[in-house]
Amino acid sequence: MSDMVHECGVFGAYNVAHAATTCFYGLYALQHRGQEGAGIVTCDTSQFFVVKDSGLVSDIFNKESLTYLKGTNGIGHVRYSTTGGNNKANIQPMYSKTSKGKIAIAHNGNITNAYVLYNQLKEAGALFQSTIDSEVLLHLFATSKKRSPLEAMQDTLSHLEGAFSIVAMGDGYLMAARDPNGFRPLALAKLGKGYVIASETCAFDLLNADYVRDIEPGELIMITDDGVESHRFAEPLKRVSQCIFEHVYFARPDSDIFGLNVHQARKEMGRQLALQSPVDADMVIGIPDSGNSAALGYAEASGLPLEMGIIRNHYVGRTFIQPRQRIRSLGVKVKLNPVKSVIQGKRLVVIDDSLVRGTTSKERVSALRRAGAKEIHLRISSPPVIGPCFYGIDTPSKDQLIAANYSIAAICEYIGADTLAFLSVKNLLRAVQDDPHNRFCTACFDGKYPVKVTHKGKKIFESRKERIQLYGTSNRY
Ligand code: AMP
């Protein structure tokens, strides 16, 4: 029943014609970061308007609800979580009235000391409405002894550990902050006379907003009618640890994150993989869509032709991202179909971005065999995932990570491939130009966790009995 904020997307708009529409398009572009629920809070002459619900952005918002969301400032959130999916109280943004005025907050990441803070706050009398670590933020802000919203937010953020990219809105301001390690991306752009903030730059492209810069690790920016002010809530670290898995899998290829385009980074991973683990084969095929960029790089570097060996049904969501296993395995079959006439009798290099549980790869390999592939050489454009992520990516626990429990030879046999190879950590870092090696977190691949995890990452806990369940499909306030 524990609930954690995982792969999420955040968005903010300040001084734009109609904030709700801008947030809607921003969230639409960030939909891949979370498909379980979404919300927008806008502010119009100190009044807050809220629409949030479970489901996809396009299902939740319509003309009526967008019209209801008045104002030129707003923030939004798309959410994904492993459990407690139907608990609508967990859908963000969170908002409240405090002694520093109204505030709404949207958070992406995972606060590793949330459990400790939650218990401290509860002991002190805080009334929690949800089980997400983001609510801790609201309480810290509300109870901060600092008087101004800026100082109260600086104070709040200084208590947090782990991963957090945040947008917050109050009456007449928008704030955005990134944790000192810079785990999750967050960027600022100019839109007309105003500003927008987004987890990924693909949201700016959709809005024709002009990218200004990334929010720095440990930085808190404050946007008001006077412009953008930069503040800090933590000293700069010598070594930041931005999530390499954003580049491997999570972010959209058309986004630039951590100073690098995601597609180019993945293509380079494929190129490195071809140099590191070559194969005598007839063609390269990528697993759509996550393996496509790396497959292109592998083909280029190896000189083998790139083919469309698997076609994706675009009307199915990300398979893995469905929290329940039953839906996930059905999704794998519905989603991808091998092209028989392309692969029949051929020796294939099959490229995918990552191998986590190994279950989807196994199904894909057997589908390619059924379609007549002569040889299947699986090449993964990232290293074996050997440890869970405590900083906001949904990786299963160690017992479910196939590479944490089996040798590469055993995995290859389980999956049914002829050969299997992974990109090394060193070559992965080379692909993202991490030289000297000091910009990325590679904990899921090498077990080096840059921020200590209190209580083994224990989450805020709520049993079914304790839960307060909201009625209805709509969750407007
Ligand atoms: P499997 O090895 O069966 O667990 O599946 C790995 C596949 O899931 C890869 O092709 C990735 O594209 C995708 N994947 C990896 N990590 C994640 C994640 N955290 N959330 C959603 N999908 C993921």
Side-chain angles (χ1 to χ4, degrees):
M1 298 308 125
S2 68
D3 201 349
M4 39 184 147
V5 174
H6 266 310
E7 302 156 343
C8 297
V10 296
F11 188 85
Y14 186 86
N15 192 18
V16 298
H18 184 234
T21 309
T22 306
C23 287
F24 170 76
Y25 284 118
L27 295 182
Y28 210 99
L30 299 174
Q31 184 76 83
H32 62 289
R33 297 186 70 87
Q35 294 123 342
E36 235 186 69
I40 297 175
V41 180
T42 57
C43 181
D44 185 44
T45 48
S46 53
Q47 226 183 320
F48 270 20
F49 296 86
V50 184
V51 175
K52 45 183 186 170
D53 212 335
S54 42
L56 297 174
V57 173
S58 55
D59 296 332
I60 299 166
F61 301 99
N62 52 33
K63 214 172 154 195
E64 191 198 328
S65 55
L66 289 175
T67 310
Y68 166 83
L69 290 163
K70 290 190 207 47
T72 53
N73 303 342
I75 63 169
H77 187 265
V78 284
R79 114 177 250 272
Y80 171 83
S81 87
T82 42
T83 56
N86 294 326
N87 194 352
K88 287 187 187 159
N90 287 350
I91 300 170
Q92 297 195 49
M94 297 264 144
Y95 55 91
S96 208
K97 291 178 218 159
T98 74
S99 58
K100 296 106 195 160
K102 284 190 200 122
I103 182 133
I105 301 179
H107 162 230
N108 168 215
N110 187 39
I111 299 164
T112 51
N113 63 340
Y115 178 72
V116 178
L117 294 171
Y118 174 76
N119 283 322
Q120 281 170 2
L121 287 160
K122 230 163 73 163
E123 278 300 307
L127 308 169
F128 277 89
Q129 304 283 330
S130 77
T131 52
I132 49 173
D133 48 5
S134 325
E135 199 182 349
V136 164
L137 270 160
L138 269 188
H139 287 284
L140 287 173
F141 181 85
T143 54
S144 170
K145 298 273 180 290
K146 307 284 183 195
R147 304 288 294 257
S148 75
L150 174 70
E151 285 174 315
M153 186 55 85
Q154 277 173 312
D155 184 30
T156 299
L157 299 175
S158 70
H159 285 89
L160 307 182
E161 290 169 13
F164 46 95
S165 276
I166 285 161
V167 289
M169 177 185 66
D171 187 8
Y173 68 84
L174 195 76
M175 291 194 269
R178 252 176 103 200
D179 66 76
N181 289 77
F183 282 109
R184 302 281 140 232
L186 194 64
L188 169 74
K190 190 104 188 71
L191 181 62
K193 288 195 180 105
Y195 291 93
V196 285
I197 306 271
S199 292
E200 288 183 39
T201 60
C202 62
F204 301 153
D205 299 338
L206 186 59
L207 292 161
N208 281 328
D210 297 313
Y211 170 83
V212 176
R213 65 178 180 88
D214 283 6
I215 311 303
E216 295 296 320
E219 184 189 24
L220 166 65
I221 64 162
M222 177 87 170
I223 309 176
T224 62
D225 285 348
D226 297 331
V228 181
E229 265 177 35
S230 169
H231 302 271
R232 295 204 64 87
F233 61 92
E235 288 306 310
L237 296 178
K238 264 205 205 99
R239 247 187 101 99
V240 294
S241 44
Q242 303 169 113
C243 171
I244 200 136
F245 210 74
E246 291 271 357
H247 270 303
V248 166
Y249 167 78
F250 199 52
R252 245 172 67 160
D254 48 341
S255 289
D256 294 340
I257 57 165
F258 314 141
L260 203 63
N261 171 253
V262 175
H263 163 71
Q264 302 281 13
R266 286 181 193 164
K267 198 172 162 192
E268 191 54 36
M269 289 170 206
R271 215 175 269 140
Q272 293 292 336
L273 187 59
L275 302 176
Q276 180 206 292
S277 304
V279 187
D280 184 18
D282 300 317
M283 62 177 68
V284 177
I285 65 169
I287 304 273
D289 290 332
S290 53
N292 285 348
S293 299
L296 197 58
Y298 195 102
E300 260 184 35
S302 64
L304 293 172
L306 179 71
E307 255 297 0
M308 294 275 277
I310 301 176
I311 298 298
R312 173 175 171 187
N313 179 339
H314 278 272
Y315 302 94
V316 189
R318 278 186 173 191
T319 52
F320 194 109
I321 216 155
Q322 305 287 352
R324 278 175 298 155
Q325 183 65 37
R326 186 175 56 81
I327 303 176
R328 187 184 297 142
S329 54
L330 179 70
V332 173
K333 283 195 203 131
V334 176
K335 196 166 136 182
L336 300 174
N337 192 30
V339 186
K340 281 200 188 92
S341 68
V342 171
I343 63 180
Q344 211 147 31
K346 295 292 193 301
R347 298 170 304 158
L348 311 178
V349 185
V350 178
I351 311 285
D352 204 359
D353 66 291
S354 60
L355 198 118
V356 184
R357 291 180 170 90
T359 45
T360 51
S361 297
K362 186 180 167 69
E363 292 192 37
R364 285 159 188 173
V365 168
S366 72
L368 289 167
R369 289 254 187 247
R370 276 199 302 278
K374 191 170 158 206
E375 287 173 25
I376 299 171
H377 303 277
L378 188 60
R379 294 290 176 272
I380 308 291
S381 58
S382 65
V385 177
I386 55 155
C389 177
F390 295 110
Y391 313 123
I393 291 284
D394 176 37
T395 26
S397 56
K398 210 159 182 158
D399 56 312
Q400 290 183 52
L401 293 171
I402 193 165
N405 298 289
Y406 297 95
S407 67
I408 293 181
I411 300 170
C412 184
E413 201 187 319
Y414 168 76
I415 284 171
D418 291 280
T419 68
L420 168 68
F422 293 82
L423 188 67
S424 69
V425 175
K426 195 170 143 216
N427 288 334
L428 173 63
L429 289 169
R430 186 173 287 162
V432 292
Q433 301 163 17
D434 195 33
D435 190 21
H437 298 333
N438 61 5
R439 289 195 296 132
F440 287 96
C441 172
T442 47
C444 56
F445 299 130
D446 60 13
K448 291 180 192 156
Y449 290 91
V451 170
K452 84 170 177 345
V453 183
T454 357
H455 295 269
K456 292 204 169 84
K458 192 165 175 180
K459 297 289 147 198
I460 297 169
F461 182 81
E462 189 182 57
S463 73
R464 192 176 286 275
K465 265 194 201 156
E466 283 172 317
R467 199 181 291 172
I468 300 168
Q469 201 75 40
L470 297 179
Y471 173 77
T473 50
S474 175
N475 195 19
R476 286 184 211 164
Y477 298 83

